[in-house]
Amino acid sequence: MGVIVVVLGLLAYALFRPRRRESQVSEDRLVAIGGLVVPSIILMVMLGFTVRTFAQEPRDGEMNITVNAHQFWWEVYYPEQQFETANEVHIPIGTKVKLRLLSDDVIHSFWVPELSGKEDTVPGTETSLVLEADHPGVYRGQCAEYCGLQHANMLLLVIADEPADFAAWTAAQARPAETQNTRGQVLFERATCSGCHTIRGTTAVGDFGPDLTHVGSRQTLASGMLPNTPGHLAGWIKDAQSLKPGNAMPPVPSIEPEELRVLVSYLEDLK
Ligand code: CUA
């Protein structure tokens, strides 16, 4: 409003002033002041505010997590404890957690509305976001940049834990898989599963799909799309394309029902 009044005032002055030749010098001064000095002062003040805002933003978190986005799921890596999980980001409450955001294929956008704004994940470069939760709870997230057929089903959960619960969770996740179900493990290792998925502690070391070392501990399957139940897992293994068309998991039509049952119970036990 102030700017409009000043500009219109100057315009009125220019239109209706008395025409006099000798005012040339003072007009030059007016142009210099109005066109150079005043804008410079305004821009310097705004620069000061911008620098202050940037300085107040946390550059580093008190804890770091790497999130690598894929079509259509989230790889989550804890560098300090050196384990990987998927589609579920556990954080301790009251801690500034810095997410290092990467993308493996196309541009996605990490968005957990209750905890922060959106941040794009861009192939070939790195972005970051600081998350902090004040209260324990499960916060739903969603990819916020159209990334292909299953963009709408590229969901995630941020689970904010009390510090002791978080410590217990990370300690459990950092351990290799433990199982009594050797038949299930051998089935997994010999089947095509191991070409794409890792289960630490076994010979399955594929790294195309999510790390399944503790898949049984997760709340969802298919990046937040399905609850993690034996029935959904069996359907997913048998024909993931019918549940989430366009995802990278091939159907396994040849699997025998009995093998499927053993495989599902093996995976669901990987807590
Ligand atoms: Cu990933 Cu939209």
Side-chain angles (χ1 to χ4, degrees):
M1 190 63 203
V3 173
I4 292 173
V5 169
V6 170
V7 169
L8 290 180
L10 287 172
L11 183 65
Y13 169 73
L15 286 174
F16 301 116
R17 76 195 159 134
R19 293 186 177 275
R20 273 183 296 147
R21 280 224 153 265
E22 59 272 27
S23 66
Q24 186 63 41
V25 173
S26 69
E27 276 176 23
D28 284 352
R29 191 177 297 157
L30 189 67
V31 169
I33 292 172
L36 208 64
V37 178
V38 172
S40 297
I41 292 170
I42 293 173
L43 288 173
M44 292 298 279
V45 170
M46 287 171 72
L47 178 69
F49 278 112
T50 308
V51 167
R52 201 185 65 167
T53 306
F54 268 94
Q56 282 170 344
E57 268 178 24
R59 301 278 92 196
D60 291 304
E62 294 154 337
M63 207 193 101
N64 296 294
I65 299 174
T66 301
V67 175
N68 192 4
H70 301 259
Q71 282 175 316
F72 301 97
W73 60 282
W74 308 89
E75 177 187 321
V76 184
Y77 180 68
Y78 287 73
E80 279 127 62
Q81 298 87 356
Q82 299 193 340
F83 67 81
E84 185 183 314
T85 181
N87 308 316
E88 226 178 77
V89 184
H90 283 246
I91 60 172
I93 57 165
T95 302
K96 287 186 175 54
V97 179
K98 183 172 186 180
L99 302 184
R100 185 172 160 248
L101 299 172
L102 308 169
S103 173
D104 196 41
D105 34 48
V106 301
I107 298 175
H108 305 267
S109 177
F110 184 95
W111 188 34
V112 182
E114 286 177 276
L115 297 180
S116 78
K118 302 170 186 176
E119 187 61 71
D120 280 359
T121 73
V122 184
T125 186
E126 190 180 315
T127 52
S128 69
L129 190 68
V130 175
L131 285 186
E132 183 172 4
D134 297 329
H135 308 287
V138 180
Y139 302 86
R140 283 177 61 89
Q142 156 82 57
C143 178
E145 175 79 33
Y146 180 72
C147 55
L149 203 54
Q150 291 297 337
H151 158 67
N153 288 319
M154 191 166 163
L155 311 164
L156 77 146
L157 298 177
V158 172
I159 300 175
D161 297 321
E162 295 283 355
D165 295 337
F166 177 75
W169 180 82
T170 47
Q173 295 286 316
R175 280 196 287 274
E178 288 156 16
T179 186
Q180 310 296 322
N181 189 342
T182 43
R183 180 142 179 263
Q185 182 181 324
V186 169
L187 271 173
F188 190 92
E189 289 172 324
R190 292 209 184 133
T192 47
C193 319
S194 59
C196 292
H197 296 281
T198 288
I199 294 181
R200 277 181 291 119
T202 76
T203 62
V205 291
D207 74 347
F208 185 69
D211 184 307
L212 300 178
T213 306
H214 296 287
V215 65
S217 72
R218 296 181 203 153
Q219 296 191 9
T220 71
L221 300 170
S223 198
M225 192 185 162
L226 304 167
N228 187 2
T229 64
H232 281 120
L233 182 56
W236 182 256
I237 294 169
K238 179 103 176 149
D239 189 3
Q241 293 302 319
S242 71
L243 295 164
K244 191 170 179 177
N247 89 86
M249 171 112 170
V252 190
S254 60
I255 193 164
E256 298 291 333
E258 200 267 338
E259 287 176 341
L260 183 59
R261 194 186 55 73
V262 174
L263 200 52
V264 166
S265 99
Y266 164 66
L267 290 168
E268 290 290 9
D269 281 346
L270 298 178
K271 299 291 186 192

